[in-house]
Amino acid sequence: MLPIKRYLHNPILLPDKGQKWEEYSAFNGAVIKVGDQFHILYRAMSEEMDYHDRRLRLSSIGHAVSRDGIHFTDREQFIKPELEWERYGCEDPRTTYFEGKYYTFYTAISSYPPDANGIKVGLAISDDMKTVTEKHPVTPFNAKAMVLLPERINGKITVLLTVNTDLPPAHIAYAQFDKIEDLWSDELWHEWYLDVSKHRVHLKKMKKDQVEVGAVPVKTEFGWLFVYSYISNYFTGKPEFKVEAAMLDTDNISKVIAIAQEPLLKPEELYELEGTVRNVVFPTGAVVNGETLFIYYGAADTSCCLATVPLISLLKRMSLTHSDMPRHNRYVGNPILLPKPWHAWEAKAVSNAGVVRIEEETFILYRGLSEDNTSSIGCAITRDGIHIDERFRDPIYVPRMEFEKKQAQNVGSGCEDPRLTRIDDTVYMCYTAYDGVNNPRVALTSILVDDLKNRKWIWTKPQLVSPPGIDDKDACLFPEKINGKFVFMHRIEPDIVLDYVDKLDFSENKWLQIRDVIPPRRNSWDSIKIGISAPPIKSKDGWVLFYHGINLADHEYRVGVMLLDLSNPGTVLSRSEYPLMEPETEYEKNGIVNNVVFPCGVALQNDTAYIYYGAADKVVCLSTIDFPALVAYLKEGSTSTYLLQ
């Protein structure tokens, strides 16, 4: 845990009922230290007033000074709405002393009620922090929270800003200019915005989260220490505000070289939990004072607060980041399999396909769902991994045992979510067997490779391999023995579990047990429960396992990847910090179960992994990823170290 401490007498600034311009709130204070004096610029809000034929609380920017960075005096209104482009408010300042002048960027509001096109960045310039000598509108597009770095990088004036804050998804981005006047050049900003994706600083963990620039970065011997706002579950109606920190490369501000292992702050104190906007901590200032980092933040959009942490302690809790996870590429022709209403057994949906590559053909065994919610397994075949060359009219595997036949009306039942593993001349299929009444259980069957190649659906009699009375699913068999034993992975909620058996004989009440456990991760995208996606793929650096995870905020199914030890696969060597796949497209967001991406099979062709997945429990889709690049990413993550030992 970081030894971060809130100032005992927080808040350090409260609204001043004696001044109309700041009688409602005083928050989001940006602090700089010049010589032995601290300056704080903060957002001040008036009580409701009649203003330009509107009834509103008007924001302006206050200024105060301090000798210790804690006790601020001489509060004055410093920047106020005067010009058309800031007519309805000046908000959330960030100030930098740069080459002899003070540059304060702020959010300029030109419309009311505020809309995205009326929320942009403005700039005020001062020689002495007493009077403003110049004002300029900066961004011609929606943006907030711009900060100017206190020195040039490779001769360039450098800023960070939050782009499209009110037209999400928002991103933190950087821009560089040759001369100070370029900062308010419409032409240069329009040109920059055309390629905005090239300028991102990648700090977002999930697409549903929001990141915003916090404080002006602080230069250290390791790089630029950047304190910023991270808002999880931004679009769910239950956003979680946190203060986080990263280290940016000294000469390449877009490169994240280290990141703090836990949030610096989350709303906990009453002044953070209750106020104008509840449950908010929002960083706007960071100053090194001696050996201590002072972090200034807005609390509940009402007051200015302070937290401190020994700088050395923070650096020790920042782990070096490895290269960005390679991107997967959805097939532009998705979905590759749709339900066929004229086939009763797959009339309602097709999904969750297991695959096996045999010579030049990929066999796609998918779950077909009838209108009465009975699941059977169908087959399609592709030679190039993309285009379907054959698809069989009838299912190749149907419920035939009592444990998978429907035991009541109006319930789901059948054979679900196959995972395929080839060992020598046999293809093994694990699947979920469900009778609609008892707990779903793991079943195992097999077919000879030659029979599969020759389209002869001769399956062995299935065995139940998981114990009765336990909800058990998402199972697969490893493609080879490890230490002389067959290895199973399956899911006993909320964990992935592993078991090791001498023989594939589950007669006489021999069941899988729990030998190794891979759990969900707290405060992560996979925090509630996890399960395997496809059977693991062997690489020289470890077993690569695609898996799905669900978090508490939205219960969406996302896909991540982990690297397991070759000889002890219950040991996780590394695990993706962020999801590899998330529901994004219409066919992933809307179906029988909305917001689901759910692979059950991955096939390698040359150096490309073909990921076959169910989307919204309705259709089968395909995405591809560079497999060696993915392994390299995971390998680098397995040897991660801290910025400061």
Side-chain angles (χ1 to χ4, degrees):
M1 294 285 291
L2 277 168
I4 192 160
K5 295 180 179 179
R6 291 167 171 83
Y7 176 54
L8 185 61
H9 301 294
N10 269 341
I12 60 171
L13 280 186
L14 283 164
D16 185 347
K17 299 300 182 181
Q19 304 200 82
K20 288 186 177 181
W21 57 274
E22 62 171 342
E23 60 185 343
Y24 184 73
S25 59
F27 61 106
N28 292 358
V31 177
I32 60 170
K33 185 182 181 185
V34 180
D36 59 356
Q37 189 170 59
F38 293 82
H39 297 267
I40 186 169
L41 276 80
Y42 58 95
R43 177 178 173 185
M45 289 182 71
S46 69
E47 289 287 3
E48 279 196 349
M49 58 188 293
D50 293 319
Y51 179 81
H52 289 298
D53 300 321
R54 301 286 194 274
R55 185 74 179 169
L56 52 75
R57 292 188 175 98
L58 187 64
S59 289
S60 59
I61 294 170
H63 170 250
V65 293
S66 171
R67 290 291 180 181
D68 61 6
I70 300 172
H71 304 92
F72 286 89
T73 61
D74 303 323
R75 291 162 70 159
E76 296 179 341
Q77 191 177 30
F78 185 61
I79 302 171
K80 58 186 176 181
E82 297 171 305
L83 304 171
E84 192 65 28
W85 50 267
E86 58 179 4
R87 182 180 187 182
Y88 289 104
C90 304
E91 305 175 353
D92 302 345
R94 274 83 167 178
T95 299
T96 303
Y97 184 67
F98 179 79
E99 298 183 352
K101 292 188 177 183
Y102 297 88
Y103 294 85
T104 300
F105 292 95
Y106 57 95
T107 302
I109 310 297
S110 63
S111 60
Y112 193 85
D115 61 62
N117 291 324
I119 302 174
K120 299 174 182 178
V121 174
L123 169 63
I125 304 173
S126 174
D127 295 322
D128 54 11
M129 287 298 280
K130 294 179 181 178
T131 58
V132 173
T133 57
E134 297 179 52
K135 277 188 175 183
H136 301 281
V138 178
T139 59
F141 46 81
N142 175 239
K144 288 182 179 178
M146 185 179 288
V147 296
L148 171 65
L149 271 72
E151 63 183 60
R152 294 175 185 252
I153 296 179
N154 300 320
K156 297 282 188 179
I157 297 167
T158 303
V159 296
L160 294 170
L161 68 159
T162 311
V163 185
N164 297 333
T165 320
D166 305 282
L167 292 169
H171 297 281
I172 292 175
Y174 75 97
Q176 294 186 307
F177 303 96
D178 292 317
K179 57 184 186 295
I180 204 71
E181 293 80 10
D182 293 342
L183 286 169
W184 52 87
S185 167
D186 258 19
E187 181 182 354
L188 291 177
W189 277 114
H190 278 297
E191 182 181 345
W192 179 90
Y193 192 67
L194 289 174
D195 289 323
V196 64
S197 62
K198 295 181 180 179
H199 305 294
R200 293 176 183 169
V201 180
H202 293 283
L203 290 165
K204 190 184 294 189
K205 300 170 186 175
M206 293 199 303
K207 291 181 173 62
K208 282 198 171 184
D209 296 345
Q210 178 97 333
V211 287
E212 295 191 28
V213 171
V216 176
V218 174
K219 193 172 186 182
T220 73
E221 61 180 300
F222 302 101
W224 293 100
L225 177 59
F226 181 43
V227 177
Y228 60 97
S229 174
Y230 199 100
I231 311 166
S232 300
N233 315 314
Y234 187 74
F235 303 106
T236 65
K238 296 181 179 179
E240 299 172 9
F241 283 76
K242 291 169 281 189
V243 177
E244 301 202 355
M247 190 68 71
L248 310 180
D249 187 82
T250 301
D251 299 317
N252 180 3
I253 201 69
S254 68
K255 184 179 179 181
V256 180
I257 61 174
I259 198 160
Q261 287 300 290
E262 65 259 36
L264 277 61
L265 291 171
K266 295 187 288 186
E268 294 175 346
E269 298 295 330
L270 184 61
Y271 51 82
E272 300 161 351
L273 300 172
E274 300 292 339
T276 304
V277 181
R278 301 175 64 190
N279 303 315
V280 172
V281 289
F282 193 86
T284 42
V287 174
V288 175
N289 190 26
E291 297 180 350
T292 302
L293 181 69
F294 281 30
I295 300 169
Y296 298 89
Y297 64 98
D301 279 13
T302 302
S303 61
C304 292
C305 295
L306 169 66
T308 61
V309 61
L311 183 59
I312 193 74
S313 298
L314 176 56
L315 296 177
K316 285 182 177 180
R317 291 299 296 158
M318 299 188 77
S319 64
L320 295 170
T321 60
H322 47 294
S323 57
D324 289 337
M325 182 162 50
R327 292 176 59 87
H328 72 98
N329 301 292
R330 289 176 175 83
Y331 172 49
V332 295
N334 274 341
I336 62 171
L337 292 176
L338 291 161
K340 288 192 172 182
W342 53 93
H343 293 167
W345 65 274
E346 58 174 347
K348 187 172 183 179
V350 294
S351 63
N352 302 0
V355 300
V356 62
R357 183 80 176 168
I358 299 176
E359 296 174 358
E360 299 303 314
E361 295 180 319
T362 299
F363 289 77
I364 304 171
L365 273 62
Y366 61 91
R367 175 183 176 184
L369 189 66
S370 66
E371 291 293 348
D372 76 342
N373 295 317
T374 299
S375 293
S376 303
I377 296 173
C379 180
I381 298 173
T382 173
R383 293 177 179 84
D384 64 4
I386 301 171
H387 302 95
I388 303 302
D389 298 300
E390 295 179 67
R391 182 174 174 179
F392 297 91
R393 187 182 73 175
D394 298 315
I396 67 164
Y397 196 90
V398 297
R400 50 185 169 145
M401 308 299 290
E402 288 303 309
F403 54 72
E404 58 198 17
K405 289 182 178 179
K406 198 179 297 289
Q407 301 296 319
Q409 293 184 341
N410 302 318
V411 296
S413 65
C415 308
E416 306 173 0
D417 304 348
R419 272 94 169 180
L420 306 174
T421 302
R422 179 177 178 175
I423 301 178
D424 300 328
D425 62 353
T426 301
V427 173
Y428 294 90
M429 181 170 74
C430 292
Y431 65 94
T432 300
Y434 185 47
D435 63 10
V437 175
N438 297 295
N439 292 102
R441 296 174 68 185
V442 175
L444 175 68
T445 184
S446 63
I447 189 172
L448 294 175
V449 169
D450 285 344
D451 286 340
L452 196 60
K453 285 169 51 180
N454 295 320
R455 284 63 164 165
K456 295 179 180 178
W457 318 124
I458 305 172
W459 296 91
T460 60
K461 181 180 178 181
Q463 306 175 76
L464 285 175
V465 302
S466 63
I470 296 176
D471 188 321
D472 200 344
K473 51 172 61 176
D474 299 333
C476 75
L477 187 62
F478 271 65
E480 64 182 54
K481 289 184 175 181
I482 298 177
N483 301 321
K485 294 183 181 292
F486 293 100
V487 183
F488 282 89
M489 301 189 91
H490 51 120
R491 192 213 77 200
I492 297 179
E493 194 169 320
D495 307 313
I496 293 173
V497 297
L498 289 87
D499 276 291
Y500 308 83
V501 298
D502 295 317
K503 298 179 180 179
L504 299 178
D505 177 11
F506 294 89
S507 59
E508 300 177 358
N509 296 328
K510 296 176 183 176
W511 314 119
L512 294 178
Q513 305 297 317
I514 300 175
R515 303 297 184 190
D516 290 327
V517 175
I518 302 173
R521 293 177 293 190
R522 290 187 62 191
N523 302 318
S524 184
W525 65 270
D526 52 2
S527 60
I528 292 182
K529 62 180 178 180
I530 59 173
I532 70 156
S533 290
I537 301 169
K538 191 175 186 180
S539 77
K540 63 182 178 63
D541 297 303
W543 294 101
V544 177
L545 178 71
F546 294 85
Y547 73 101
H548 63 263
I550 303 169
N551 73 8
L552 183 62
D554 56 24
H555 293 264
E556 291 187 7
Y557 280 78
R558 296 177 173 86
V559 178
V561 63
M562 60 178 76
L563 188 69
L564 309 178
D565 186 80
L566 285 174
S567 59
N568 183 16
T571 299
V572 178
L573 302 178
S574 71
R575 189 163 165 178
S576 57
E577 184 176 0
Y578 313 139
L580 174 69
M581 296 177 65
E582 298 184 68
E584 295 181 60
T585 66
E586 181 66 23
Y587 53 80
E588 295 164 351
K589 289 182 175 180
N590 295 294
I592 292 178
V593 181
N594 295 338
N595 299 308
V596 172
V597 288
F598 197 91
C600 286
V602 176
L604 285 183
Q605 290 181 237
N606 299 319
D607 285 337
T608 301
Y610 288 69
I611 305 167
Y612 299 87
Y613 67 97
D617 278 15
K618 181 70 175 182
V619 294
V620 175
C621 298
L622 169 67
S623 192
T624 59
I625 195 167
D626 183 315
F627 189 70
L630 185 63
V631 174
Y633 161 80
L634 289 167
K635 180 183 178 183
E636 192 175 348
S638 70
T639 57
S640 62
T641 56
Y642 284 94
L643 180 68
L644 188 62
Q645 299 300 314

